Amino acid sequence: MEWETSLENLKKRIQQLKKKRPGYKEILNFYQKIREEQEEVKPSLKIKSIPLKKEWKDLLAKEGFSLLEKKDFPLDINASLTLFRLLCEIGKKANPRMAEQVEKIEEGIDNKKMDLNKALTGGFEEGKIEKIAKEFGLDKTVLLFLIQESIRPSIEAGTKKLLNELNAEAWLKGYCPICGSLPSLSLLKDAEGKRFLLCSFCGYQWRVDRFFCAFCGNKEQDSLHYFCGEGEETHRIDTCDKCHQYIKTIDARNIEIIDPVLEDLATLHLDLLATQKGYRRPAPSPWTP
Ligand SMILES: [Zn+2]
Ligand SMILES: [Zn+2]
């Protein structure tokens, strides 16, 4: 699993992608800056352990329930808020729309009216963040993006603590066994092309059948198709004609995947094609709304 991304390898891959697709230069620079800050906080994160009782775990697995809810992931709130301010700085220079939003956010925080500490106490809840966005007249996608990227190191550290609790090959369902979220990507791995799904929230990867729509459970080969971009056999769009939804698949047998989210971000043109063909993406990453 790609749990220990080395920043150096990540930067190399970003360099390659920028050369290959110059149109993505700006967004890839932005991505790199944010990933650099996230990597920086990782070594000093303080994350509580997540207690799981065996009986409880077995019961959940039997009933098909995931282990946690999003808000159950322990957060290092101080580290997340420090990161939040750093990401705001990066956002300010990224583009005018982001800059305008960040200014409003900083104003809210500096007036002590916007209390993100309080909002994150008790864990991440989308509803709470959306409420703040509404209260302060903010674009909720921007605020959610900044918050989610600020807590990402905490969330991933929590997921890492749970890796030994689960068998990634046994679950086989269309939603994450840890947090119940939908997958944002699918990955083909090993010589035999085992298929894994990547959780859009916690980053966990679990195995599913090759012919399977994660969103409606469809297993009929006749209605499951895929298409690639030109000259891009490693990245493709898997469509389902039953629910008219799609997932992006990265074939990790031919390329080394340093960071699946990066690969996703650098192939937004495939999402555009899928949308034009009338398919919907149920669970984008915060990077690909
Ligand atoms: Zn998850
Ligand atoms: Zn489907």
Side-chain angles (χ1 to χ4, degrees):
M1 254 190 233
E2 300 78 13
W3 282 101
E4 307 298 337
T5 313
S6 110
L7 198 53
E8 207 172 308
N9 288 339
L10 183 75
K11 283 184 187 169
K12 262 190 225 156
R13 180 63 182 150
I14 290 178
Q15 220 35 51
Q16 273 177 9
L17 287 167
K18 280 199 278 192
K19 232 183 231 165
K20 195 173 169 195
R21 304 194 189 100
Y24 283 94
K25 198 175 151 201
E26 220 168 281
I27 183 86
L28 291 175
N29 283 339
F30 181 49
Y31 185 75
Q32 181 173 323
K33 281 188 194 131
I34 288 192
R35 295 288 283 114
E36 278 169 350
E37 297 296 352
Q38 288 172 334
E39 290 300 314
E40 188 94 5
V41 305
K42 277 188 185 172
S44 58
L45 274 184
K46 291 180 192 71
I47 299 294
K48 287 193 199 119
S49 61
I50 306 167
L52 294 172
K53 286 198 189 113
K54 193 181 175 298
E55 316 86 78
W56 187 49
K57 213 176 74 183
D58 292 344
L59 181 74
L60 287 183
K62 206 176 115 215
E63 302 291 332
F65 292 125
S66 49
L67 288 176
L68 308 173
E69 288 181 56
K70 286 182 185 177
K71 65 175 168 56
D72 297 331
F73 282 84
L75 304 176
D76 182 330
I77 295 187
N78 285 333
S80 302
L81 292 180
T82 308
L83 188 53
F84 182 82
R85 292 306 279 251
L86 291 166
L87 300 194
C88 281
E89 282 310 308
I90 299 170
K92 257 191 234 173
K93 292 171 202 138
N95 62 61
R97 178 169 151 255
M98 186 78 104
E100 189 203 320
Q101 292 294 315
V102 168
E103 253 169 59
K104 276 197 206 171
I105 292 169
E106 289 184 334
E107 219 181 274
I109 295 176
D110 295 339
N111 294 337
K112 306 238 181 319
K113 282 185 187 133
M114 191 190 291
D115 193 346
L116 293 178
N117 196 323
K118 200 175 136 201
L120 290 177
T121 304
F124 171 77
E125 284 177 82
E126 223 164 285
K128 279 193 194 171
I129 308 301
E130 284 177 8
K131 229 172 122 184
I132 293 179
K134 209 171 164 196
E135 193 184 333
F136 289 86
L138 296 164
D139 179 340
K140 75 172 184 200
T141 47
V142 174
L143 186 63
L144 269 171
F145 169 79
L146 290 168
I147 297 276
Q148 275 186 273
E149 290 307 306
S150 303
I151 62 169
R152 181 169 308 275
S154 292
I155 302 292
E156 288 185 353
T159 304
K160 220 166 129 185
K161 282 180 192 279
L162 295 172
L163 290 181
N164 293 331
E165 305 279 347
L166 295 150
N167 174 358
E169 305 226 0
W171 178 251
L172 300 169
K173 295 185 183 14
Y175 52 93
C176 175
I178 292 187
C179 74
S181 302
L182 291 175
S184 59
L185 285 176
S186 116
L187 303 157
L188 299 177
K189 294 187 190 180
D190 305 342
E192 38 184 318
K194 282 184 186 175
R195 185 176 181 216
F196 287 81
L197 299 178
L198 174 82
C199 177
S200 55
F201 182 72
C202 75
Y204 186 66
Q205 295 181 13
W206 71 98
R207 193 177 174 190
V208 289
D209 289 336
R210 273 295 280 275
F211 289 97
F212 171 62
C213 169
F215 309 120
C216 75
N218 180 17
K219 288 185 176 178
E220 288 166 24
Q221 288 199 27
D222 296 354
S223 50
L224 295 166
H225 302 281
Y226 72 88
F227 65 86
C228 310
E230 256 185 61
E232 296 177 306
E233 280 68 39
T234 47
H235 298 65
R236 71 185 211 199
I237 296 286
D238 277 73
T239 58
C240 170
D241 284 334
K242 274 221 164 123
C243 67
H244 301 282
Q245 302 186 96
Y246 76 91
I247 192 162
K248 194 182 285 174
T249 297
I250 304 169
D251 191 340
R253 290 171 298 179
N254 295 315
I255 53 162
E256 188 205 352
I257 299 190
I258 310 284
D259 175 358
V261 179
L262 170 66
E263 298 301 323
D264 185 16
L265 181 65
T267 47
L268 292 179
H269 51 283
L270 293 180
D271 294 88
L272 195 66
L273 273 176
T275 311
Q276 282 165 354
K277 288 176 193 276
Y279 297 98
R280 200 178 73 86
R281 183 172 178 171
S285 85
W287 284 92
T288 50

